[in-house]
Amino acid sequence: MPFHEKKTINAPVLKRALLLFWAAWLSLVFTTNVLDRAKAIGLLDQSWPFASGNDAFVCQTTARHGSLAWVNGVLFAGVVCWLSRRRKSARSTSTSLSRRRGR
């Protein structure tokens, strides 16, 4: 038996780990964006620490073009919807991998 055995990672395990990472990451980003918007519209106190700061970024970016305030809400809602779809997609892919392996 050789002193150093070569260890390999099973491809389905790696795929599942990557999907789990991205699902967790997108869930975190989705949550902080929703909480940030809640701060912006006054549902949460401005001292609330768990927020992304992306709402202020959207407002600063669109202010350069002189857009109306409601446009920021629509753009931000689009980002949150897109994140929600990505998160669901990652979860469904992970579930389908589990079904294929019989788990």
Side-chain angles (χ1 to χ4, degrees):
M1 182 182 290
F3 182 70
H4 296 290
E5 286 189 28
K6 192 173 187 180
K7 294 183 181 181
T8 60
I9 296 176
N10 196 353
V13 172
L14 180 61
K15 286 180 185 179
R16 189 170 296 132
L18 286 170
L19 286 170
L20 179 64
F21 167 77
W22 283 112
W25 176 259
L26 290 173
S27 295
L28 179 67
V29 171
F30 173 81
T31 303
T32 58
N33 278 338
V34 168
L35 292 173
D36 192 36
R37 189 64 187 161
K39 273 177 60 172
I41 62 175
L43 293 176
L44 292 173
D45 190 46
Q46 290 300 315
S47 63
W48 182 266
F50 191 64
S52 65
N54 288 338
D55 189 67
F57 177 70
V58 169
C59 292
Q60 290 170 359
T61 303
T62 58
R64 297 177 195 159
H65 307 290
S67 62
L68 301 173
W70 63 269
V71 173
N72 296 334
V74 171
L75 291 173
F76 204 77
V79 168
V80 168
C81 289
W82 179 81
L83 282 169
S84 175
R85 290 181 53 89
R86 295 294 101 209
R87 191 176 62 149
K88 287 178 186 175
S89 175
R91 267 197 209 141
S92 67
T93 304
S94 178
T95 303
S96 69
L97 281 176
S98 296
R99 284 186 195 143
R100 266 193 252 155
R101 295 195 69 200
R103 292 183 182 173

